[in-house]
Amino acid sequence: MTDVQSEKAFQKQDQIWAGRVAVLGRKVRRNQLRYVKNIGLGFKTPVEATEGTYIDRKCPFTSSVNIRGRILKGVVVSTKMKRSIIIRRDYLHYIPKYKRYERRHKNLAAHLSPCFTVKEGDTVTVGECRPLSKTIRFNVIKVDKAKRGNKLFSKF
């Protein structure tokens, strides 16, 4: 538990009471006290979420944040923030006058749980949740690693 304490405030999971041995009617050892849940919707809980020691109050797998609403896909553009990423969603907009399409994009901020490791260019699936901050309303629930190479086909 000491390696988790890197913040000024004491880090703990809200669902686990540190002074008790019994959790939800079952007896567990003190080092096995970890709240993990299945978010549903066909997404599996990452192994790092169940076996890891991180504490994140905004993680959909280890906290009370629920995924509801939209499920979106996008490409990671920026990973400069702490536990947050910016994803880019490309789409086509139809112009009736010219009977053609134009490319457009939207950037979206999403919370990145410590159970995922992403790099720029990876494709991520995000799920809508309650507002986590001023601009973040989505949570990363799945990561598809990008193929690294010189000549690769991209969407646009």
Side-chain angles (χ1 to χ4, degrees):
M1 202 69 104
T2 57
D3 59 333
V4 187
Q5 305 301 331
S6 60
E7 305 293 329
K8 287 185 179 179
F10 181 72
Q11 302 294 305
K12 68 180 185 71
Q13 288 186 310
D14 293 332
Q15 296 82 1
I16 303 293
W17 185 47
R20 200 72 181 124
V21 179
V23 177
L24 299 177
R26 59 190 168 109
K27 293 230 179 209
V28 293
R29 283 179 270 164
R30 184 174 287 272
N31 60 355
Q32 292 179 340
L33 294 176
R34 183 155 180 84
Y35 175 78
V36 179
K37 69 176 182 180
N38 181 8
I39 62 167
L41 304 169
F43 294 100
K44 294 182 179 177
T45 304
V47 176
E48 181 61 32
T50 55
E51 296 177 358
T53 58
Y54 71 90
I55 294 178
D56 185 12
R57 294 179 59 217
K58 299 175 181 179
C59 175
F61 304 104
T62 61
S63 70
S64 61
V65 175
N66 293 325
I67 301 296
R68 79 285 192 282
R70 294 177 177 261
I71 305 290
L72 306 173
K73 272 193 171 188
V75 178
V76 177
V77 176
S78 171
T79 59
K80 295 176 183 175
M81 291 182 282
K82 183 179 180 182
R83 294 190 180 179
S84 299
I85 60 172
I86 301 294
I87 65 170
R88 177 183 172 118
R89 301 191 64 238
D90 293 314
Y91 61 96
L92 297 174
H93 177 250
Y94 184 66
I95 310 295
K97 179 180 178 181
Y98 299 108
K99 298 180 183 171
R100 281 170 170 67
Y101 292 91
E102 67 179 2
R103 284 188 305 214
R104 290 188 178 182
H105 80 277
K106 292 279 186 200
N107 284 346
L108 186 88
H111 179 74
L112 179 68
S113 176
C115 64
F116 295 116
T117 55
V118 299
K119 293 182 179 176
E120 293 181 7
D122 290 347
T123 303
V124 296
T125 304
V126 295
E128 189 179 6
C129 59
R130 64 174 170 82
L132 301 175
S133 69
K134 180 182 175 183
T135 58
I136 297 180
R137 276 97 174 102
F138 288 87
N139 227 318
V140 175
I141 53 180
K142 185 180 174 189
V143 176
D144 297 325
K145 299 288 183 191
K147 294 187 174 89
R148 310 283 185 221
N150 288 344
K151 295 184 177 180
L152 291 173
F153 175 77
S154 63
K155 228 176 202 178
F156 297 114

